[in-house]
Amino acid sequence: MSLSNIVIQFLNGLAGASSLFLVAAGLSIIFGVSRIVNFAHGSLYMLGIYVAYSLIELFGRSSIVGFWGGVLLAAVAVGIIGIVIEVVVLRRIYHAPELFQLLATFALVLVVKDAALYVWGAEDLLGPRAPGLRGAIEIAGRHLPDYDLLLIFVGPVVFGLLWLLMNRTRWGTLVRAATQDRDMVGALGVNQAWLFTSVFFLGAFLAGLGGALQIPREPAQLMLDLTVISDAFVIVVVGGMGSIGGAFLAALLIAEAKAFCIGIGDVDVLGITLSFSKFTLVIEFVIMAVVLVVRPWGLLGKPQAVQRGTGMIEPPLHPLTKVFWSAVFGLLVLLAFMPAIGDEYLLVLLVDIAVFTVFAATLHFLMGPSGMVSFGHAAYFGLGCYGAALAFIKLKLPMEIALFAGPLTAGLGAMVFGWFCVRLSGVYLAMLTLAFAQIAWSVVFQWDELTGGSNGLIGLWPSEWLKDRTVFYLAVLAISAGAVAFLWRVIHAPFGYVLRAARDSALRADAIGIDVRRFQWLGFILAGALAGLAGALFAFSKGSISPEVLSVSRSIDGLVMVLLGGVQTLTGPVAGAALFTWLQDVIARNTEYWRAILGLAILVIVLAFPQGIAGFIRQVATRLGLMRETAP
């Protein structure tokens, strides 16, 4: 790279860092006080762009007052939307388990996305360039847009204002105190409801401002929410949870890394062409993985005290009773007779439910008994898909053998990734799993020669004896039921009790001689391998696969399934997977706005049944005397 190119890419990185910092700072402030991992924060950024576009169109594209008035009013409007979200939804679940708060914010993502689809349509909307800043200045023989030069100063100015707000005002003192101990702040007479609402307004305002300022640089489109929230989470975690200074430093680091990857482009090393421009898809996750492995609490964060875990306190497990197994057997007999009473479409849906039941059960095994929350569990589902597909297509192995290449591939991936993941806990563990999942997705997405790249792989057909839809369904049902039953048996085996002990108190488990990390690592590998089995079944049921099977959205689907059913019950992931898959299928076939309906349904379930569907059924059965209080 020439000197001029280095200078320009450095300045481009500074401009990009401003918008990233605004979104991440808002997310960091909200998390610091409320302890809610707000998945809907990216939706607020997306709304900032859309609202700014509409207001600028209303006030006039060519007017300076119209443009900047539209940007500022859009940020205020998004802040007000944030207040509504906090008051109507989040205030009701502050004392619910953190994972259910996460589920509620994901439901908001679905609702906001379809609301934007209804108001602005599916087409990308190109905003105007800023009046008076439509030119460029020459630096080192290269041109830099005037607007980018402005953005370079916006980030540091906002950072300075936030520092003054947090360190020189009474409100800032209360926010910092609530970040340390919000219960003590409430005990001292501070109006926590007002404080939380004001914090959420500020966080939403910053997200909206970050989006509105991007209107001259990128179009408003419906995929911005998940794209931006991934970047924001990475920045917050790399910088240190709750640290605004850390968010600023991490935004600079990641934005500069992306800018220089673009500037370097393709490089030949020993006859091998390395495309750094493609590396931009995953560079922030590589940085996050490295930072979390070396400094688990982030660049400017503080080490966390050892926690009990993310789940609620559970009573001791009792052995699975004959009544329980009889009920399971009865359900399997009923499902086995479904081909006689249902059509072919019903069998396709039931195959999907069976596959995702295994996927959800493996994630539940990590989140419940093992106490390890994963935001990237789709990595092992996807590795299973591609492991089976490559064995079938490239190695020409029979379907029966290729099927088991899926769990083998996924298990190896879980063995590598899990070795690093089990060294962390809480949000940092969850984000490291996301980082590894995105790295795996990037490899699959860009390795055209092996994986087919974005086109994926086709031609995955079952063997002759399984081509009949009924036979294939019964085979999938038997394999899925066996996998779930095996996991349930493991949970009630000594290995499962060791995992529960490590989850409830790692210090006590270590004190009595349990090698906590080793057992958690083995549990991680087991869950990954069986998720790979689900992926292999999915691949042969669909006949083709694409990188989408490793995507963030697939991981989120798994989280939703587990949380809908209930983390505290063994049957929770089964009920959650069936309900979510059925709802998604039925609603998507009947309306364009299926996400909003699904999101509202999830919100109702979260608010009405915070223990999950299976947990609610168990609670009712216990009150009626139909089962013991601690039964599964």
mmCIF file of all heavy atoms in Angstrom, residues 564-566 568-569 571-572 605 608-623 627:
data_model
loop_
_atom_site.group_PDB
_atom_site.id
_atom_site.type_symbol
_atom_site.label_atom_id
_atom_site.label_comp_id
_atom_site.label_asym_id
_atom_site.label_seq_id
_atom_site.Cartn_x
_atom_site.Cartn_y
_atom_site.Cartn_z
ATOM 1 N N LEU A 564 -38.716 -20.623 24.716
ATOM 2 C CA LEU A 564 -40.170 -20.762 24.638
ATOM 3 C C LEU A 564 -40.639 -21.966 25.450
ATOM 4 O O LEU A 564 -41.639 -21.903 26.158
ATOM 5 C CB LEU A 564 -40.613 -20.921 23.183
ATOM 6 C CG LEU A 564 -40.853 -19.662 22.362
ATOM 7 C CD1 LEU A 564 -41.293 -20.018 20.952
ATOM 8 C CD2 LEU A 564 -41.886 -18.766 23.015
ATOM 9 N N GLY A 565 -39.924 -23.064 25.309
ATOM 10 C CA GLY A 565 -40.311 -24.272 26.044
ATOM 11 C C GLY A 565 -39.983 -24.190 27.513
ATOM 12 O O GLY A 565 -40.744 -24.678 28.358
ATOM 13 N N GLY A 566 -38.845 -23.563 27.835
ATOM 14 C CA GLY A 566 -38.426 -23.444 29.229
ATOM 15 C C GLY A 566 -37.096 -24.114 29.479
ATOM 16 O O GLY A 566 -36.933 -25.306 29.178
ATOM 17 N N GLN A 568 -35.798 -24.683 32.350
ATOM 18 C CA GLN A 568 -35.784 -25.434 33.599
ATOM 19 C C GLN A 568 -36.423 -26.813 33.498
ATOM 20 O O GLN A 568 -36.561 -27.505 34.501
ATOM 21 C CB GLN A 568 -36.512 -24.628 34.685
ATOM 22 C CG GLN A 568 -36.051 -23.183 34.800
ATOM 23 C CD GLN A 568 -34.575 -23.054 35.032
ATOM 24 O OE1 GLN A 568 -34.031 -23.788 35.842
ATOM 25 N NE2 GLN A 568 -33.921 -22.146 34.342
ATOM 26 N N THR A 569 -36.848 -27.222 32.311
ATOM 27 C CA THR A 569 -37.494 -28.518 32.153
ATOM 28 C C THR A 569 -36.820 -29.312 31.050
ATOM 29 O O THR A 569 -36.342 -28.744 30.068
ATOM 30 C CB THR A 569 -38.985 -28.356 31.796
ATOM 31 O OG1 THR A 569 -39.078 -27.663 30.543
ATOM 32 C CG2 THR A 569 -39.721 -27.572 32.860
ATOM 33 N N THR A 571 -38.380 -31.366 29.039
ATOM 34 C CA THR A 571 -39.272 -31.376 27.881
ATOM 35 C C THR A 571 -39.405 -30.009 27.237
ATOM 36 O O THR A 571 -40.036 -29.884 26.187
ATOM 37 C CB THR A 571 -40.665 -31.873 28.307
ATOM 38 O OG1 THR A 571 -41.117 -31.096 29.429
ATOM 39 C CG2 THR A 571 -40.619 -33.340 28.694
ATOM 40 N N GLY A 572 -38.817 -28.980 27.850
ATOM 41 C CA GLY A 572 -38.921 -27.627 27.328
ATOM 42 C C GLY A 572 -38.465 -27.471 25.885
ATOM 43 O O GLY A 572 -39.201 -26.936 25.051
ATOM 44 N N ILE A 605 -46.190 -14.969 25.259
ATOM 45 C CA ILE A 605 -45.731 -16.149 25.993
ATOM 46 C C ILE A 605 -44.731 -15.762 27.077
ATOM 47 O O ILE A 605 -44.790 -16.253 28.207
ATOM 48 C CB ILE A 605 -45.118 -17.170 25.014
ATOM 49 C CG1 ILE A 605 -46.205 -17.753 24.104
ATOM 50 C CG2 ILE A 605 -44.412 -18.283 25.766
ATOM 51 C CD1 ILE A 605 -45.673 -18.613 22.986
ATOM 52 N N ALA A 608 -46.663 -13.913 29.851
ATOM 53 C CA ALA A 608 -47.642 -14.740 30.564
ATOM 54 C C ALA A 608 -47.014 -15.970 31.203
ATOM 55 O O ALA A 608 -47.450 -16.410 32.278
ATOM 56 C CB ALA A 608 -48.755 -15.157 29.598
ATOM 57 N N PHE A 609 -45.997 -16.539 30.544
ATOM 58 C CA PHE A 609 -45.379 -17.778 31.036
ATOM 59 C C PHE A 609 -43.859 -17.610 31.094
ATOM 60 O O PHE A 609 -43.142 -18.164 30.258
ATOM 61 C CB PHE A 609 -45.725 -18.960 30.132
ATOM 62 C CG PHE A 609 -47.176 -19.042 29.760
ATOM 63 C CD1 PHE A 609 -47.572 -18.868 28.449
ATOM 64 C CD2 PHE A 609 -48.141 -19.280 30.724
ATOM 65 C CE1 PHE A 609 -48.911 -18.944 28.099
ATOM 66 C CE2 PHE A 609 -49.475 -19.362 30.384
ATOM 67 C CZ PHE A 609 -49.866 -19.193 29.071
ATOM 68 N N PRO A 610 -43.348 -16.842 32.049
ATOM 69 C CA PRO A 610 -41.897 -16.606 32.095
ATOM 70 C C PRO A 610 -41.069 -17.856 32.344
ATOM 71 O O PRO A 610 -39.869 -17.847 32.121
ATOM 72 C CB PRO A 610 -41.744 -15.598 33.252
ATOM 73 C CG PRO A 610 -42.982 -15.771 34.078
ATOM 74 C CD PRO A 610 -44.069 -16.140 33.115
ATOM 75 N N GLN A 611 -41.721 -18.934 32.788
ATOM 76 C CA GLN A 611 -40.992 -20.189 32.994
ATOM 77 C C GLN A 611 -41.040 -21.080 31.773
ATOM 78 O O GLN A 611 -40.520 -22.198 31.796
ATOM 79 C CB GLN A 611 -41.536 -20.938 34.218
ATOM 80 C CG GLN A 611 -42.935 -21.523 34.056
ATOM 81 C CD GLN A 611 -44.040 -20.517 34.364
ATOM 82 O OE1 GLN A 611 -44.126 -19.466 33.757
ATOM 83 N NE2 GLN A 611 -44.890 -20.864 35.321
ATOM 84 N N GLY A 612 -41.648 -20.600 30.664
ATOM 85 C CA GLY A 612 -41.745 -21.384 29.441
ATOM 86 C C GLY A 612 -43.015 -22.223 29.414
ATOM 87 O O GLY A 612 -43.693 -22.407 30.434
ATOM 88 N N ILE A 613 -43.370 -22.726 28.229
ATOM 89 C CA ILE A 613 -44.597 -23.500 28.073
ATOM 90 C C ILE A 613 -44.555 -24.776 28.905
ATOM 91 O O ILE A 613 -45.475 -25.075 29.665
ATOM 92 C CB ILE A 613 -44.816 -23.841 26.586
ATOM 93 C CG1 ILE A 613 -45.022 -22.556 25.771
ATOM 94 C CG2 ILE A 613 -46.014 -24.771 26.433
ATOM 95 C CD1 ILE A 613 -46.241 -21.787 26.146
ATOM 96 N N ALA A 614 -43.463 -25.541 28.763
ATOM 97 C CA ALA A 614 -43.359 -26.789 29.520
ATOM 98 C C ALA A 614 -43.297 -26.518 31.019
ATOM 99 O O ALA A 614 -43.865 -27.268 31.823
ATOM 100 C CB ALA A 614 -42.126 -27.577 29.068
ATOM 101 N N GLY A 615 -42.615 -25.444 31.402
ATOM 102 C CA GLY A 615 -42.561 -25.092 32.813
ATOM 103 C C GLY A 615 -43.931 -24.734 33.369
ATOM 104 O O GLY A 615 -44.270 -25.076 34.502
ATOM 105 N N PHE A 616 -44.737 -24.037 32.552
ATOM 106 C CA PHE A 616 -46.092 -23.678 32.984
ATOM 107 C C PHE A 616 -46.955 -24.925 33.150
ATOM 108 O O PHE A 616 -47.690 -25.060 34.132
ATOM 109 C CB PHE A 616 -46.724 -22.734 31.965
ATOM 110 C CG PHE A 616 -48.176 -22.442 32.215
ATOM 111 C CD1 PHE A 616 -48.561 -21.609 33.247
ATOM 112 C CD2 PHE A 616 -49.162 -23.023 31.420
ATOM 113 C CE1 PHE A 616 -49.909 -21.346 33.488
ATOM 114 C CE2 PHE A 616 -50.505 -22.764 31.651
ATOM 115 C CZ PHE A 616 -50.879 -21.918 32.682
ATOM 116 N N ILE A 617 -46.868 -25.843 32.185
ATOM 117 C CA ILE A 617 -47.636 -27.094 32.272
ATOM 118 C C ILE A 617 -47.230 -27.882 33.515
ATOM 119 O O ILE A 617 -48.064 -28.422 34.240
ATOM 120 C CB ILE A 617 -47.440 -27.930 30.994
ATOM 121 C CG1 ILE A 617 -48.041 -27.196 29.791
ATOM 122 C CG2 ILE A 617 -48.062 -29.308 31.152
ATOM 123 C CD1 ILE A 617 -47.769 -27.873 28.465
ATOM 124 N N ARG A 618 -45.909 -27.931 33.775
ATOM 125 C CA ARG A 618 -45.434 -28.644 34.964
ATOM 126 C C ARG A 618 -45.965 -27.992 36.236
ATOM 127 O O ARG A 618 -46.368 -28.677 37.183
ATOM 128 C CB ARG A 618 -43.903 -28.647 34.986
ATOM 129 C CG ARG A 618 -43.320 -29.434 36.157
ATOM 130 C CD ARG A 618 -41.809 -29.327 36.201
ATOM 131 N NE ARG A 618 -41.374 -27.983 36.546
ATOM 132 C CZ ARG A 618 -40.092 -27.639 36.716
ATOM 133 N NH1 ARG A 618 -39.149 -28.544 36.538
ATOM 134 N NH2 ARG A 618 -39.767 -26.417 37.032
ATOM 135 N N GLN A 619 -45.988 -26.659 36.247
ATOM 136 C CA GLN A 619 -46.469 -25.941 37.428
ATOM 137 C C GLN A 619 -47.940 -26.240 37.687
ATOM 138 O O GLN A 619 -48.353 -26.483 38.822
ATOM 139 C CB GLN A 619 -46.255 -24.441 37.221
ATOM 140 C CG GLN A 619 -46.564 -23.586 38.431
ATOM 141 C CD GLN A 619 -46.332 -22.115 38.140
ATOM 142 O OE1 GLN A 619 -46.999 -21.520 37.304
ATOM 143 N NE2 GLN A 619 -45.358 -21.524 38.814
ATOM 144 N N VAL A 620 -48.748 -26.240 36.622
ATOM 145 C CA VAL A 620 -50.173 -26.536 36.767
ATOM 146 C C VAL A 620 -50.374 -27.969 37.233
ATOM 147 O O VAL A 620 -51.181 -28.251 38.127
ATOM 148 C CB VAL A 620 -50.902 -26.283 35.429
ATOM 149 C CG1 VAL A 620 -52.337 -26.789 35.513
ATOM 150 C CG2 VAL A 620 -50.879 -24.811 35.078
ATOM 151 N N ALA A 621 -49.620 -28.904 36.613
ATOM 152 C CA ALA A 621 -49.746 -30.316 36.991
ATOM 153 C C ALA A 621 -49.356 -30.530 38.448
ATOM 154 O O ALA A 621 -49.963 -31.336 39.161
ATOM 155 C CB ALA A 621 -48.883 -31.179 36.074
ATOM 156 N N THR A 622 -48.344 -29.803 38.908
ATOM 157 C CA THR A 622 -47.906 -29.924 40.306
ATOM 158 C C THR A 622 -48.999 -29.439 41.260
ATOM 159 O O THR A 622 -49.293 -30.066 42.273
ATOM 160 C CB THR A 622 -46.611 -29.126 40.523
ATOM 161 O OG1 THR A 622 -45.598 -29.638 39.650
ATOM 162 C CG2 THR A 622 -46.145 -29.248 41.958
ATOM 163 N N ARG A 623 -49.626 -28.321 40.902
ATOM 164 C CA ARG A 623 -50.682 -27.783 41.757
ATOM 165 C C ARG A 623 -51.899 -28.704 41.813
ATOM 166 O O ARG A 623 -52.593 -28.776 42.819
ATOM 167 C CB ARG A 623 -51.099 -26.406 41.244
ATOM 168 C CG ARG A 623 -50.045 -25.332 41.466
ATOM 169 C CD ARG A 623 -50.490 -23.992 40.896
ATOM 170 N NE ARG A 623 -49.500 -22.957 41.140
ATOM 171 C CZ ARG A 623 -49.603 -21.710 40.687
ATOM 172 N NH1 ARG A 623 -50.650 -21.352 39.965
ATOM 173 N NH2 ARG A 623 -48.661 -20.828 40.950
ATOM 174 N N MET A 627 -48.202 -34.505 39.464
ATOM 175 C CA MET A 627 -46.787 -34.877 39.399
ATOM 176 C C MET A 627 -46.062 -34.234 40.562
ATOM 177 O O MET A 627 -46.540 -33.276 41.178
ATOM 178 C CB MET A 627 -46.174 -34.448 38.060
ATOM 179 C CG MET A 627 -46.174 -32.944 37.814
ATOM 180 S SD MET A 627 -45.661 -32.514 36.123
ATOM 181 C CE MET A 627 -44.056 -33.274 36.048
#
